[in-house]
Amino acid sequence: MDDLNVKNQPVLKQFVPTPPRPPHKSERGILGTIRHRCFNSIGNSLLTLCVATVLFYLVKHVLDWAVFNAVFIADNRRQCMDISPDSACWAGVISWFNGLIYGRFPVDEQWRVNIGVLLGLVWLLPLMSKRIPLRNFILLSWIGLYPFVGGYLFLGGRFGEELGLVHGAMTCLALAFLAIIYANWILSALGKKGLNELFVPLVSRLVERRIHLLSFVAVWLLVALVIASGLSQVSLEPVPIERWGGLFLTFIIAGFAITMAIPVGVILALGRRSKLPVIHWLSMTVIELVRSVPLITVLFMAVTLLPIFLPADMEFNKLTQVLVAVCLFAGAYMAENIRGGLQAIPKGQYEAAATLGLGYLHTMVLIILPQALRMMIPNIMTSFISLLKDTTLVSIIGLFDIMLMARNIANDKDWVGMHTEPLVMISVLFFILCYSMSQYSLNLEKRLKVDR
Amino acid sequence: MTTSSGNLAQKAVTETAIKIDNLNKWYGDHHVLKDVSLDISEGEIMVVCGPSGSGKSTLIRSLNHLEEYQEGVVSVFGQPLSRDRQSHKIIHQTMGMVFQNFNLFPHLTVLQNCTLGLTWLRKMSERDADKMAMRLLDRVGIAHLATRYPGQLSGGQQQRVAISRSLAMEPKIMLFDEPTSALDPEMVKEVLDVMIDLAKTGMTMVCVTHEMQFARQVADRVVFMADGEIIEVGPPEQVLVNPQWDRTREFLQHVL
């Protein structure tokens, strides 16, 4: 019917859209923007000048104190005072810098901390590249296996002696996995097959199903054995957990809390939405109980109360107890974030998944959670940032994290009473860390927003 | 209620795809489906129409258990459905559904939307699933958009993706719940064209729609519902051109 109408009508004029023009010239360029925003009336011009003056003096004073008049080289606080009485004495912070970063970790063994942290970052590096296959798998392997490598390097010890056999075996498997990831990355860049395909011809002669999986396992075990034989020759000086400290300890606690927050949070959030009364009430109790109590109390309870409830022969070190407490605390908060995301998912998504035949687990893992988590990135990141800062509370129960190390400087006979500088230093450090986290979250949000 | 004897005789040789027997559903005190009975043969195109609130969406959603009902039996290829695992399996293996709001998965690309069921439920290899999905996307004319995300597509394109996603699971019966109601007028045609093509392949289809043009063109039978009851069933030329009931005539005067 429509076609007929069109044919009977006279020839129409052709519509050509008017091309867009550039913005008005007063708003063009940096100068234009400044004039438009800051000097667009006499009142606003005066206001701009006033604010600029105040800012100038503020910045000048801070810079004078922190940089221009500050003392960087001195043997003790008295010398600092003599050189410049009203300015920062960074010499103290510099001389304690090692302690702030590593705590009381033996100086000769600190390379192990560096290597351990570096390995953790290197493991995550492939996630930055979009072309790497099985990125989620790499992330999972990091969560599941990296702690063993870290634990081995930080704790030290010899295989089968201080280091338990299970821990040792897991360390070798973890390192082997990392080696395979990188070998595959290089091989795929060269256009060759992955290392895990090495045994495919051999395996395919023996079995018919799951050839690729079996080949991967075979390669993995082989590499792990090679690494094990190498590591069994090495003996690392054991470092007790009590000597861990500084920023290093803060990283361990915050890193653990951040990694565990999502899985614990997801389980609690799904539990709270469960239709089974027992699971629902249990999750709700945990969430509400932990959320209603300050972190300090949770930490104290973990250190003082937990040992009372546990059987006498079960003994945990303080760090483990703190990790459990922080993890529970982070999980409870995360659960509510995630629940908010889950509620924002339209019912149609569940229905579409159901009509495709996806079950509860598939629906949640493939459809609902990826969307809910993406939607909540700003809130999740906010939780992570406050977690990182909250971990400084562990200094109160006597873990030598960066905060306690900083306060120790004031007790050093050379730097007696020096409180301000270490705290400023920590503030700057935390600002850098937290600000990069928030920038990363913005970046992540932008990258994942394509779909909306 | 009128039945069309001529049409049924024609289809008598084919199997009954869906048999709805005395379906009753209440939302609280509200009786939304009243003694609904209907047989749909294999390969039949059934269009369900009626005013809003007549229970047509509830009826079609009861067929694949998106809605629970209190009384009555729905049988698919002779198998009565209940709430157990076996019934779920039958539903998912035989029925696909297309929604008014598309309900695509916004975090997955068009291609991933289509291959999701194949790789996770059918355990198909990624390559085979991609190949199959691309064939379906090509059939609905949007293979070139395979790597886009649903949010980057127009409504009509999204609905065509939704149809391919359902077809990927190779259903024997397709349920359409007002597939063109959320679309701009300019995009209705591209979706209807896909549905007409699908009808030609012999797929059993149940469509809730207000597109009377479509009903006239492809439907084997039209069901008219009002107030939770089936008022008329018959070939489109009978129900749409020469209705027996005043309620049907009144409705048709509004939509035609």
Side-chain angles (χ1 to χ4, degrees), chain A residues 75-88:
Chain A
D75 292 333
N76 52 44
R77 193 137 186 259
R78 185 141 302 281
Q79 271 186 18
C80 269
M81 296 289 209
D82 291 344
I83 300 171
S84 173
D86 292 329
S87 304

Side-chain angles (χ1 to χ4, degrees), chain A residues 348-349 351 354-355 366 371 451, chain B residues 61 64 92 103-107:
Chain A
Q349 294 288 309
E351 291 181 348
T355 49
L366 299 173
Q371 293 186 59
D451 47 351
Chain B
R61 287 160 58 86
N64 62 355
H92 302 138
N103 291 341
L104 291 176
F105 305 130
H107 61 298

Side-chain angles (χ1 to χ4, degrees), chain A residues 348-349 352 367 371, chain B residues 99 101-108 110 113-114 149-151 153 155 157-163 165:
Chain A
Q349 294 288 309
I367 312 293
Q371 293 186 59
Chain B
F99 300 87
N101 298 320
F102 329 131
N103 291 341
L104 291 176
F105 305 130
H107 61 298
L108 300 177
V110 165
N113 262 280
C114 297
Y149 285 91
L153 269 53
Q157 290 166 338
Q158 288 193 46
Q159 193 59 296
R160 287 188 279 162
V161 175
I163 294 173
R165 179 178 69 179

Side-chain angles (χ1 to χ4, degrees), chain A residues 1 3 130 346-359 362 365-371 374 448 450-452, chain B residues 61 64 66-67 91-92 95-97 99 102-108 113 116-117 120-121 123 149-152 165-166 169:
Chain A
M1 249 165 57
D3 292 359
K130 276 212 151 181
K347 207 172 139 223
Q349 294 288 309
Y350 293 93
E351 291 181 348
T355 49
L356 281 182
L358 297 172
H362 275 146
V365 173
L366 299 173
I367 312 293
I368 306 300
L369 282 174
Q371 293 186 59
R374 266 169 219 214
L448 296 176
V450 210
D451 47 351
R452 286 274 163 187
Chain B
R61 287 160 58 86
N64 62 355
L66 284 184
E67 299 275 357
I91 289 171
H92 302 138
M95 291 196 245
M97 187 166 202
F99 300 87
F102 329 131
N103 291 341
L104 291 176
F105 305 130
H107 61 298
L108 300 177
N113 262 280
L116 187 81
W120 288 95
L121 297 176
K123 309 282 178 206
Y149 285 91
Q152 301 167 312
R165 179 178 69 179
S166 284
M169 301 306 287

Side-chain angles (χ1 to χ4, degrees), chain B residues 135-166:
Chain B
R135 208 172 56 232
L136 286 165
L137 287 172
D138 191 43
R139 198 164 123 192
V140 300
I142 38 177
H144 60 291
L145 300 174
T147 54
R148 299 274 187 91
Y149 285 91
Q152 301 167 312
L153 269 53
S154 74
Q157 290 166 338
Q158 288 193 46
Q159 193 59 296
R160 287 188 279 162
V161 175
I163 294 173
S164 325
R165 179 178 69 179
S166 284

Side-chain angles (χ1 to χ4, degrees), chain A residues 11-22:
Chain A
V11 180
L12 292 171
K13 283 188 276 184
Q14 200 185 354
F15 170 69
V16 181
T18 321
R21 288 188 295 268

